[in-house]
Amino acid sequence: MDRLLGKLTPRARALLLTGATTWRTKAEPAVSLRELVMSDGPAGVRGEAWDERITSVLLPSASALAATWDEALVERLGGLLAAEARRKGVDVLLAPTLNLHRSPLGGRHFECLSEDPELTGRIGAALIRGVQAHGVAATAKHYVANDSETDRLTVDVRVGERALREVYLAPFEAAVAAGVRLVMAGYNAVNGTTMTASALLTDPLKSEWGFDGVVVSDWGAVRGTVDTARAGLDLAMPGPEGPWGEALARAVADGDVPGATVDDKARRLLRLAARLDALGGPDSPRARPTGESLGGERPAAVRASSAARDTCLPVSVDDPHGAEHLSDRALSSSRGSSRPAPTGELRGGQRSAVPASSAARGTPRRPVPTDNASGTEHPSTPAPSSTRDDRARVRTLARRAVAAGAVLLANRDVLPLDPERLATVAVIGAHAARTRTQGGGSAGVFPGEEVSVLDGIRAELRDRAARVVHVPGPRPDGPAPPLAPDDCTDPRSGLPGVLLRMLDTEGRELYAERRLGGRLLEPRLVPGAHTVEICARLRPRTTGSWTLGVAGFGRMSLTLDGRTLLAGDFPPRTDDPAVVHVNPPAHYATADLAVGRDALLVARRELAPGTGRATVLVAAPPAPDVAAALSEAARAAAGADAAIVVVGTTEHGESEGHDRADLALGATQDALVRAVTAVNPRTVAVVNSGGPVELPWRERAGAVLLAWFPGQEGGAGLADVIFGRAEPGGRLPTTWPAALADAPVTRTRPDGAGRLDYDEGLHVGHRGWLRHHRTPAYWFGHGLGYTTWSYDELTVPTVARAGDDLTVRVRVRNTGVREGREVVQVYLARPASALDRPVRWLAGYAAVRARPGETATATVRVPARALRHWSVAEHAWRTETGTWRVLAGRSAGDVPLAADLEVVPAPGE
């Protein structure tokens, strides 16, 4: 690295530390360094473009992966993500998210793993190993205490030194131990200092833990030059504009930032490039994407003739530029889909145009190809073209992950359903047909195919005698969704979708193309662009008062058949990139529409600095009468042998950029479950959410199955569980309250001074519930399978030395009638401690399998760190000697076995 640094001037070294684009680092020919390409995660690898035609494999949400308590499976899924990254030419995956479920109101729970530092650290490390084993770098984010979304750009988290060390830093320490290549500094401040300028980036990260990788900023999180450059931050993203760049080069020249400090940052970036084979110039491995993409080339722009440049209506058939640029086949399988485009986080700054070779091209509603699904190819070896077998393996693994993370919260001898004993199955709820597969924000990708719960059940019963009846029930509470292709057509071609146009200041068309839906986060910029326009010919399937709207910032208008519905100037109220670039607020109007009478809907927004370019056209038909919808659902359930009712959160309920106000699913969804359970005791309630929700009807349902956001294969994997092909393997990674008021930690909003005090200290999650003697609906670690277990014996060493790991053995017996898997959990307690400690805390876990009547012994390693505490007085780790209690069981609230352990001083102490 020093030899390479010697080839660079001090200015060149400083300039290397700011991104070249939104998603790429700077190339440097003097050292044969190519650009490094980054992409958001962790549910999929989107790549550089926000384009619904560029598809990705979509895995279950991070909370679902943690619910597997299965590091080997998560490591395999990390390999799948690495294969996806290689297919898209991505070097760095911005995942995993290692922040904690501190409060159940956290809006980004689905992207975080769990409430517990031990479980988060172990699952996060497994994902890191899986990604990095195949030549792609993982990123541990968001360092640190970035556990809620409210005022996340400016919040000052005040947390005690001990809690910071033992709880919030612990998962990042595990990530560094796993060899993570990058750590992302968050937007927030901790104890008065913004994280991009925090001393925590140096100590403990680089000094105590020995992290030798790159500390990258969250996008737009660098707000100053000298303070952040003097700290442990190494790379400011995005670029090319920003507080570093030339300003950093001048600061070095003026002596405000030591040259040696910049040299260390540049050395780290070059080391990362070497690890990613990026020091061979532009033709080095993965400078271009590998593997086969979906379908044909990325659609080219359609330029209208001069006669049609002021309208979105059809051009002359003699005009070759008016021909549709997408084939019928490109959308043939999407016409029956009403899925809205997924959400995601676009960081600040503008990106350069994505070369056609760097995009995963394709069409929705098809299986997504990847490289070798097992990720076993050498990182420097170009991957072969995808095959049907590769795609099948990817789908099989994603489907297995759904079942492995699904948590059976309650079962009153209803699950699994026997298909041979079913004549009619009622599948009820809007989420059944439009299962929410992912959360909003940086986890968002565009899947090539999504299997809903209804799809999965129909596929399972297709060759059987059972009849499947679907009733949507009342519409879930929430705003109108983006316009979907089955509700509209491009007014020029007549094909499903919308027409996107870029106009100049005179309203003349500069660029046009058909897109698949109304959510357009990155309309392509062309020289002279002044206005974004989305045109759609609505084809109402319901008569009545429709809700229509446009989302974005700046001057906007919405017209229907030439009549203005709304117009105004809507300035941004925040500079949060998740709001500006991904989830801008919508503004609504109503209009009467009738079946058989098409209407031309046109939204326009002017482009202006600081307003982004995301533009969303939304539409919703009249909501059905709630009482009538509930009655229809009840009739269907009453006439069925079993009912499966699916309820869940909406896009605006769980998303990056804001926390939740409550945990309610909404009055209509709760009423739907009550109506169904009242007439059919064999009701399975499937919960489609990324984090805790209140389930006031949980005692009435025959079974309650937590699906999380299950990814593209969600319906298939859940059908496997419902019909007994697979056992529900999940255990809760976070405690679920019966009511929000019961939760020990609910505050996510900073005070008037912008401070958010972590007054609970160490007592997060199940620790807080135990401290306050409260009983949740479901404890951390809870989850049922399709068999039962007895806990027979706990074997613990009688004496252990401080600083040594422990080995604990737990013998369990399968007392049911089916082979099964049990996650054996070990907790620690120190009843006579002189310190403030939790009542008990997770220390380790292991899974076992056994057939009916068999015993199995779980061998659980309890690391020495589980017994240590951070001494604030000495600023060092210490272990109390004396009597400790070791407990084992099925959850934090169910620990039937206990034994004492005597901890003695280490030699020389």
Side-chain angles (χ1 to χ4, degrees):
M1 295 301 109
D2 288 338
R3 179 181 61 82
L4 293 177
L5 277 179
K7 296 182 179 182
L8 301 177
T9 65
R11 178 175 178 275
R13 298 174 195 177
L15 295 182
L16 202 60
L17 306 179
T18 294
T21 69
T22 299
W23 299 110
R24 296 187 177 217
T25 63
K26 190 175 183 294
E28 179 48 74
V31 291
S32 299
L33 171 67
R34 65 168 172 84
E35 295 174 322
L36 298 179
V37 180
M38 302 184 179
S39 174
D40 269 325
V45 183
R46 187 180 58 253
E48 297 177 86
W50 282 98
D51 189 323
E52 74 280 3
R53 300 162 297 182
I54 302 174
T55 58
S56 306
V57 172
L58 175 60
L59 297 178
S61 62
S63 52
L65 300 189
T68 67
W69 295 58
D70 188 339
E71 291 152 68
L73 175 59
V74 171
E75 194 165 335
R76 286 192 64 194
L77 294 170
L80 190 156
L81 291 173
E84 273 283 273
R86 290 170 54 77
R87 178 172 72 86
K88 294 195 169 195
V90 168
D91 300 285
V92 176
L93 181 65
L94 302 178
T97 300
L98 299 181
N99 304 114
L100 299 182
H101 297 175
R102 172 179 170 265
S103 164
L105 292 175
R108 212 169 177 178
H109 267 6
F110 59 88
E111 191 182 330
C112 306
L113 293 165
S114 86
E115 70 181 28
D116 184 77
E118 178 70 13
L119 181 61
T120 296
R122 287 179 59 168
I123 297 296
L127 190 72
I128 290 165
R129 291 192 299 268
V131 170
Q132 296 190 167
H134 308 296
V136 176
T139 308
K141 63 182 188 182
H142 308 85
Y143 190 89
V144 61
N146 190 178
D147 307 297
S148 53
E149 295 296 289
T150 305
D151 294 343
R152 64 177 181 151
L153 303 188
T154 57
V155 61
D156 180 10
V157 172
R158 297 302 175 108
V159 55
E161 183 179 341
R162 187 174 167 213
L164 186 63
R165 282 287 194 151
E166 294 184 27
V167 179
Y168 297 100
L169 284 170
F172 291 94
E173 184 176 6
V176 172
V180 73
R181 303 295 193 210
L182 295 93
V183 171
M184 181 187 289
Y187 292 116
N188 60 298
V190 171
N191 295 331
T193 304
T194 187
M195 279 310 306
T196 52
S198 174
L200 293 170
L201 299 179
T202 301
D203 184 23
L205 180 58
K206 292 181 175 180
S207 56
E208 180 184 326
W209 299 348
F211 176 63
D212 66 354
V214 170
V215 177
V216 61
S217 71
D218 205 339
W219 268 229
V222 179
R223 294 153 192 149
T225 302
V226 174
D227 60 342
T228 54
R230 285 179 169 272
L233 189 71
D234 300 314
L235 177 62
M237 291 295 288
E241 305 300 328
W244 280 16
E246 291 290 355
L248 178 56
R250 288 193 298 271
V252 174
D254 293 344
D256 295 328
V257 176
T261 298
V262 170
D263 288 352
D264 178 69
K265 300 176 192 298
R267 187 179 293 110
R268 288 170 178 272
L269 188 61
L270 292 174
R271 184 184 298 125
L272 173 66
R275 288 167 169 167
L276 296 173
D277 292 329
L279 286 174
D283 295 321
S284 62
R286 283 209 323 283
R288 297 184 178 88
T290 61
E292 182 184 70
S293 60
L294 290 174
E297 294 296 313
R298 183 178 179 179
V302 177
R303 188 178 182 86
S305 69
S306 58
R309 291 178 65 176
D310 60 350
T311 177
C312 61
L313 295 177
V315 298
S316 167
V317 294
D318 296 325
D319 179 6
H321 296 295
E324 174 55 27
H325 63 280
L326 282 176
S327 66
D328 288 319
R329 184 175 61 85
L331 275 174
S332 62
S333 60
S334 72
R335 293 179 184 176
S337 170
S338 59
R339 302 289 296 169
T343 61
E345 173 186 22
L346 176 64
R347 320 287 184 157
Q350 303 292 345
R351 69 171 178 86
S352 59
V354 180
S357 62
S358 71
R361 312 170 192 91
T363 61
R365 303 297 300 171
R366 290 181 54 192
V368 182
T370 70
D371 298 338
N372 185 337
S374 63
T376 55
E377 71 275 15
H378 190 276
S380 63
T381 304
S385 294
S386 298
T387 67
R388 182 171 298 179
D389 288 344
D390 290 332
R391 292 192 290 270
R393 283 195 291 269
V394 167
R395 297 189 66 184
T396 298
L397 182 57
R399 180 172 178 166
R400 177 187 164 194
V402 175
V407 182
L408 184 56
L409 296 174
N411 190 16
R412 296 170 180 87
D413 296 324
V414 170
L415 288 180
L417 299 178
D418 184 351
E420 302 300 331
R421 298 185 178 184
L422 299 173
T424 302
V425 176
V427 183
I428 298 169
H431 282 75
R434 294 168 58 93
T435 305
R436 191 176 179 202
T437 56
Q438 61 183 324
S442 60
V445 300
F446 301 101
E449 181 174 50
E450 294 173 281
V451 182
S452 70
V453 173
L454 180 61
D455 293 335
I457 292 170
R458 282 175 169 165
E460 176 64 29
L461 299 179
R462 180 172 296 128
D463 298 327
R464 303 178 187 272
R467 183 171 66 100
V468 177
V469 177
H470 174 242
V471 176
R475 180 191 296 170
D477 299 334
L483 191 58
D486 55 346
D487 291 326
C488 63
T489 58
D490 168 4
R492 283 191 182 164
S493 68
L495 295 175
V498 304
L499 179 67
L500 167 66
R501 301 201 304 154
M502 301 298 285
L503 311 177
D504 66 11
T505 55
E506 302 299 321
R508 293 174 298 194
E509 181 178 298
L510 302 173
Y511 165 84
E513 66 175 350
R514 181 165 68 94
R515 297 295 291 268
L516 308 185
R519 187 186 186 90
L520 302 178
L521 302 184
E522 280 187 340
R524 186 179 300 182
L525 290 178
V526 292
H530 176 267
T531 301
V532 178
E533 180 187 87
I534 306 175
C535 308
R537 187 168 295 283
L538 291 178
R539 295 190 166 177
R541 292 175 292 175
T542 304
T543 296
S545 180
W546 281 60
T547 300
L548 308 173
V550 58
F553 293 106
R555 183 167 294 279
M556 299 191 298
S557 66
L558 184 69
T559 64
L560 184 70
D561 287 336
R563 177 170 61 92
T564 299
L565 298 181
L566 65 85
D569 195 358
F570 305 96
R573 295 182 179 180
T574 176
D575 58 355
D576 190 321
V579 178
V580 174
H581 300 293
V582 180
N583 290 318
H587 305 274
Y588 301 100
T590 58
D592 291 333
L593 299 175
V595 174
R597 294 175 56 186
D598 294 356
L600 183 65
L601 186 64
V602 180
R604 286 188 175 187
R605 65 156 293 187
E606 295 181 4
L607 297 171
T611 63
R613 51 192 160 127
T615 309
V616 185
L617 184 59
V618 302
D625 179 76
V626 172
L630 292 175
S631 295
E632 183 185 13
R635 285 195 300 272
D641 299 295
I644 300 168
V645 56
V646 188
V647 292
T649 57
T650 67
E651 178 183 329
H652 295 268
E654 287 184 274
S655 179
E656 180 178 3
H658 61 83
D659 292 314
R660 294 191 282 170
D662 56 52
L663 301 183
L665 288 173
T668 56
Q669 291 199 85
D670 286 339
L672 178 63
V673 181
R674 289 191 178 101
V676 172
T677 56
V679 299
N680 194 328
R682 292 179 57 78
T683 294
V684 180
V686 178
V687 181
N688 182 199
S689 70
V693 293
E694 294 174 351
L695 309 174
W697 36 258
R698 65 189 183 280
E699 299 298 333
R700 302 184 183 188
V704 182
L705 179 65
L706 174 55
W708 305 106
F709 296 148
Q712 68 177 53
E713 302 299 322
L718 292 168
D720 289 341
V721 170
I722 289 169
F723 295 105
R725 288 182 178 269
E727 184 180 38
R731 304 294 185 267
L732 284 178
T734 192
T735 306
W736 276 46
L740 175 62
D742 299 336
V745 180
T746 59
R747 185 179 165 205
T748 61
R749 180 171 297 278
D751 62 19
R755 292 173 42 157
L756 180 60
D757 292 314
Y758 282 21
D759 294 329
E760 68 279 0
L762 305 174
H763 306 282
V764 180
H766 61 279
R767 303 175 180 197
W769 287 88
L770 290 165
R771 180 181 180 85
H772 292 284
H773 306 288
R774 299 177 186 174
T775 302
Y778 304 107
W779 282 101
F780 169 81
H782 170 74
L784 306 176
Y786 285 154
T787 190
T788 55
W789 299 85
S790 66
Y791 277 66
D792 296 342
E793 185 178 43
L794 171 64
T795 304
V796 176
T798 55
V799 177
R801 293 190 305 188
D804 288 352
D805 295 346
L806 306 175
T807 298
V808 174
R809 292 179 174 82
V810 184
R811 192 177 76 239
V812 296
R813 181 183 301 276
N814 184 340
T815 57
V817 297
R818 174 172 170 153
E819 181 181 353
R821 172 181 178 266
E822 176 74 343
V823 178
V824 177
Q825 301 161 40
V826 172
Y827 294 81
L828 284 177
R830 173 82 167 124
S833 178
L835 304 167
D836 175 33
R837 288 191 182 273
V839 174
R840 55 180 170 270
W841 61 95
L842 182 70
Y845 60 89
V848 296
R849 297 193 66 88
R851 296 186 181 90
E854 288 183 345
T855 61
T857 299
T859 301
V860 181
R861 185 182 70 87
V862 176
R865 66 174 178 270
L867 288 83
R868 69 183 185 178
H869 67 272
W870 181 257
S871 170
V872 175
E874 301 175 73
H875 300 290
W877 291 106
R878 295 290 182 261
T879 301
E880 274 191 307
T881 58
T883 302
W884 290 65
R885 175 144 296 186
V886 181
L887 306 100
R890 309 192 72 250
S891 74
D894 182 6
V895 281
L897 301 180
D900 287 342
L901 166 73
E902 192 71 19
V903 175
V904 298
E909 289 189 358

